[in-house]
Every structure is written in C-alpha cells, then in structure tokens.
Amino acid sequence: MLSWFKKAPVVTSYSFEGLVSVHTQLMRYRELPEATLVELLRVLSEFLIYSDQHSSETFFFEYFCEKNMMALFVAMMGGRPLGVRVQVQLLQTLSILVQNISTATSLYYILSNNYINRLLSCRHFRLDHEDVRDWYVTFLKAVSIRLTIDTVQFFFNATTRTFPLYVEALQFRHCPEIQVQIAMKTVILNVLRVPDDRMRRFLTQPANLVYFLDLVAQNVALARTLQAHAGARDRFEYIEDKLVDQWYYLQDILQVPMPDLSFCLGEALFDSYLTHLLAASLLPNCARSKAPDGISPLLALHLLTQFFSRSTHTPLLHATAVMLLHPEMQHSTYMTAALGLGDKKTLSRAASVDAALDSPRVRALGTLSSSSSSGSLEIRRNSLVLSPTAATRSPRSSMAPASPTAALPPVVFEPHNVDGCDVESCCLQRPFPVGSWPLEDAAAVVFDVTGNWYRQALLALATSSDAALRLATFALLRTVLTHPSAAAPGSFVSLQIALDVLTHMTATGGRGSSRAMAPLAPPCWAPAKADRLRRLLAAFQAKVPMELAAWEGAVVAATRDADSSAALSVEWAMLVGPPAPPTARIAMLLELLVALDRLNLLMLDGRLLADELAAIGRDAQEDSAVLRRFFRVGDPLPLAERSLLPCVLRSDVYCLLNADLFVVVRPDTRDRTLGHIEVLEPLYVVATEWQEKTDELRVHGGTTDVTLQFPIASMRDQLLAHLDAMRAQQIDRKRSAIARLLAVQFAL
C-alpha cells in the first residue's frame, strides 16, 4: 500500500484529557494487546493532525513534545520486536505526521533529535512482510518530500558521513514490486535535488556512485534480454517498456544540477551501453574476442533510435552523435565528444554542406579530432582496436571527476573477409534469428579501418538488401538529425550520402513544398557519390506497393505541418513482424525524394515534385476539400448550386454529383437548403453492386456500406455512370503520378 493519506481520520471529539489518556496507555505498550496498541497509535495521529490544523488547539502538540513521544516511538521499535500490525500502524502514523504537519515548528520537532534517522535505521521492522515493507517505503517517500536546503541537516551528518534516508532507500533497488521501485526512485531523486554542497559531495564519492553505475548495467542487461525475446512480441514490448522507464529515470538523474554525477553517469552510459553494446553490435564483426552476448544490428538500430527519441541530455546526445557519425572522432573520449563541440546552434543547420566544409569551425574540429585521437587507436593486421577507457585515453582534464568504472576491454573489429575469415569466428556463421547482416551485404562492404567504422556500417546498412535494416537505419539517421537537442552533423567534415541528404532536408526548414525552394546546383560531393545515391534511391523504390490509400496517407502525412518525429515512428513489431506497413515504407521513400529534390538531384523532366505529390494526395476538385471540412467538423452544408440526386437511405437523402468523392447528404429537417454529410469516401476505395430488377444500388468500401433506393432505375444508372467515370479518372491520375515517382532517376 503506497497511497497517501490526504486527510487524517475524523474522530467525534478532541479533548486534552483524551490525549493524556492515550499517552498514559502508550507508556505501558509492553503490556498492551496488539489490537489496543494499534488503535492507540491511530488515535494519537488524529490528535496531532487536529492540533496542527487548528491554531487554537496547539496545546495538543505541545503536550506531545513535552512528553517526548517521538522518543517513545523509538523506544517501542528498539525493544522487543512488535507485531506486524503494530509496525504497520506505527509507520502509518509517522507517514501521516510527516506529510500533514504544516507548521515549521511542528515539522522541525518531528525531524529533530535524530528520531527519524533512528527509526529508519531500526532493524526490527519486518521488511520481509509485504505490508510492513510497503508502509516503510511510504514513510521514506514522505520524509524525502520534506527534504529542503533547511531540513537536510536533520538527515545528513557531514561529520560522521551518514545518510540513513538515502542508504535505506537503496536496499529496495532490486525489489521486484513495481510500486516499491517507483517510490524508491522518487526518494533518490528528491535527495539529489536538494542543493546542499556537503551532501552532494558525499553522494558523488566513488563508493556512493556504485548504485548509479548499476543502473547502466541494468540497461545493458535489459537490452540483452530484449534480444533473447526478439521474436516474442508481447514479452518484448513488456521488457521494452521497462527499458523506457529506466531511460526516463536516468534522464531525470542526468538533469539534476550535479555536474560530477552527470558526467560519471553519462560517461558510463556512453562507454558501456551506447558504444560497447549498441554501436559495436552494428558491425559485421568476425573478431574472436567479440562478446558472444551482443545484440543484432537491427535491435541495436532500434534501441539507438529509442535513445535519440527520448533523451534530452545534450552532452550525451552530442557524444553519441559524434561517435556514430563523425568521420574521425569515434575514438574520442566522452569529455571531448560531449563537452568540446559547443552549442547546437553553432554547429548545426548550416545553409549547405559546401559552405560548412570551408568554415573555420569545421577546420578546428578536424584539428581537434586528430589531436584527441592520438594514442587511442591501434591497427593490428587487418583489425582495428579501440578502447575508450582510461587505460588508452589521453590524461583527463582536471575538471573531470574520478570515476569508479572498471576499465572496459578494448573493442576489436575484424571486418568480414570472404577469403580469409575463420569459419569458427565468422559472424555470418552464427546469425541472430532476425536482424543480422545479410551475407551479400557483409561480403560487399569494404571498411576503412582507419576511419569511423560505425559510420561506415550505418551507411552500408542504409542501402542493405534487408528492408528492415534499411528502414531502421533511415529512422535512426532521421531521428538524430531532427532531434531538438542533438548536435546535427551538418557541419562535420565530409559526411556522405544519407547523412548529407538528410542534413539538407532538415537544414532547409523541414518539410515543405519544393515549389517554394529556389533552384539549387548539385552539391560538390554529389558526382563522387552518384553510384551510392543511385543505389539508395533504387533500394527505396523497390517493392513499394501500388496501394492508393497507403500512398495518399503517406503523402498527406509528409506534406502537412505535423511533428516529424511522430510521423516517422518505427516500432519493433514493424521491423520483425510481417513486412513494414505500406504507409511506413512509402513515407521513407517520400522523405528521400524530397531531400534529393531539394538538392536538385532528381531527373523530373521539367515537372515539380510538389505537383506529383499533389496529384496523389489531393483531389482534382477544390470543392472536395470543402466537403471534407464540413464532414469533419459536422457543420450543415449549403446545398444551393450543387448537383444533387435524390434517393432514400432510411429516409430522404441526396447524393452529390460532379465530386471527387462519394457523398451522401441528409437534408436538415428545418431548412432543406442545408444538409448534413452522413457518408464521405474517396471514389477509388468504393465499389458498386446492383440488380437489374430493382432500383437499389449498394455502395461499399472503406468504412462505408450503404444501400440506396431510387424512385426510378434511370436515376440509379445516372449515379452509377457518374461514380464509374469519376473513379476511373481518379485512379488513373493517382496511379500515373505514383508510377512517375517510382521511375524517377538520379540526375547525375
């Protein structure tokens, strides 16, 4: 039970004699039956809350202080072990007191004289019993809420270096009960947020950082558990939810204004989780020393995307973006990558990559990368050894706090070699059930072991023969480049293909119409990357379905002013289940087409990409947008000057003619010049059925299935001819535009 008492229980009357009687009986607590002792504790809490809420009755609390009843509570728990019911009631009473006491005098008495610390440290509480444990954690949480710069002196002793509230909360860090975990984390965050320098120095001592480093280990363990359940959707989603909750907790800790703690935790996350597990799992690594409990490239891409989607800690985002995307700085320290790049406003959203390449800032970055990486990189035969730990790093700055993190083993990367790869250690001989490198992709890619191989792996995965890997890679790159806090690599040196393409797409102000863009000359790097770009475009054009509804939905999503990250959300089930939904695959292709068009790299034969998209996503008639708006809002539609065909659908209705939509309008009962749209469907989704001997017409498709009755057969035939003609025109227009987009060629 972890709920809070918002009000003290109500008793019929409060008198000084009653309080004296309660105290007198409590003094004989050793002789009282358990039920009586429980009731006395409950009534005592009611008296105290009543006194605190009524200024004229302060003598109740004065008597409580005079008789030193807090010391009595300590004595009760310090003697013979009390029964479970008594312990629960005592913890309830203490929780009620701490939460409901409002005056400073009362609160300071409750917290003073070390009473709370002695109760928290008491070893007679039956914490193995569920009710006692839950109320004990509730008491911890109530006390932590009262922590301020003024009250922390009652809990933290800087001389003896003891902090019972913090220490006792940590004993529940592995409790399987979710609510207990939540309460414990709340206590830790409340402690960290108190701006007391002495307490913070105590918390950031190496011995006290073990808990925070254990959180990083939990992240790694959860990621490996996800890999073990990658094929079980329900179990995977449950574990992924736990990992998401863990990330939000870590993010709360990172945002606390404690630079030493933020640095040590960020460094541990960067080294152990983001680099050694996720980034290293992107590689087709045939090294013998490669950890056998890694994860698949597909899961690594997915978890990296989740990280960039949910994290807001700028140094960690900067460091991870640099490690993954910078051509030369993958082997830099966390401090160099996270804190040495400046603000995103300075680095990102350059007008073009061409201008950014000549900027002094980029030249400075190149110098920084070459100097910071010396001594941390070693080439052994055909493999590259990288260690981001202290053993191979340049000496730390004096600003960096000491970290208790154990030195991680070096990352050894041996690219797959068709001719000389050892069969026993070859990564392709032990693939994961889903999401491994395809054999032909691993054989085709050539790694420059002196460059950033994580970046090279991402660029290769962007054009993988595996559609799920392409989709996951594209989603990751898009998420990195559109994150509001991450340092978009628009100003980094020599970014290739998808990175340049996506950078231009975001640097020009997000989505928008190509018509509004001034013509651009192809960038200087485009001819050298033409083959790679051509393969990228062909990979995304391949196997895209000709489903009009999916295309229309994707075009509408790509052209409206919406949250770009939400529009590109890629869930795990989309990657490992059946083929990705058509809308998702089409959305990725449209993102790429828009980016290439803005760079003037598409061969459109004088047409505008915006016009092609409009032919798919919009109706030919402007009045269709008006009809959609009236249908969505529910306002009455003016019927004057509209072509109407009367029919019956339970009662009199009209079918609209000369429209790009199938529309049924029911006239208003008071004003028949107005009508309410009951049915609205695009013509390409509906089908018609009729019988010669009746005057009925069934129209079904989408969310519609209606049967209309007509006064005479010729009126039915008129509507049928109209629907067939308009539907054929609509389908032909949309299919032609889609075919042109699927056939568009790279311009160089």
Side-chain angles (χ1 to χ4, degrees), residues 351-352 354 478 482 500-523 525 558-561 564 590-604 608-610 613:
S352 70
D354 304 325
R478 185 66 165 80
T482 57
D500 274 339
V501 170
L502 292 171
T503 301
H504 276 274
M505 179 176 61
T506 56
T508 50
R511 293 190 179 98
S513 171
S514 296
R515 186 189 302 274
M517 297 296 298
L520 293 173
W525 48 262
T559 54
R560 71 177 176 228
D561 292 327
S564 59
L590 294 180
E591 291 277 353
L592 185 60
L593 289 172
V594 170
L596 292 173
D597 183 53
R598 287 177 173 173
L599 294 171
N600 200 27
L601 292 176
L602 290 182
M603 190 180 300
L604 293 171
L608 292 175
L609 181 64
L613 297 179

Side-chain angles (χ1 to χ4, degrees), residues 241-267:
D241 288 341
K242 293 179 64 175
L243 183 58
V244 170
D245 292 340
Q246 180 85 342
W247 262 119
Y248 284 131
Y249 178 50
L250 287 168
Q251 187 165 284
D252 288 339
I253 297 175
L254 289 168
Q255 297 305 104
V256 173
M258 294 178 62
D260 287 0
L261 175 60
S262 295
F263 180 87
C264 289
L265 181 58
E267 184 180 45

Side-chain angles (χ1 to χ4, degrees), residues 379-426:
I379 300 177
R380 298 179 185 169
R381 298 180 187 174
N382 194 33
S383 65
L384 185 66
V385 179
L386 167 71
S387 177
T389 58
T392 58
R393 290 176 181 164
S394 55
R396 284 181 181 269
S397 165
S398 59
M399 293 168 35
S403 173
T405 311
L408 295 172
V411 176
V412 179
F413 175 44
E414 290 184 4
H416 176 69
N417 190 329
V418 177
D419 299 324
C421 191
D422 189 338
V423 175
E424 295 182 359
S425 64
C426 179

Side-chain angles (χ1 to χ4, degrees), residues 662 679-688 698-706:
F662 172 62
V679 178
L680 186 145
E681 290 287 355
L683 290 176
Y684 65 83
V685 304
V686 300
T688 55
R698 181 190 174 201
V699 182
H700 57 91
T703 60
T704 297
D705 191 347
V706 296

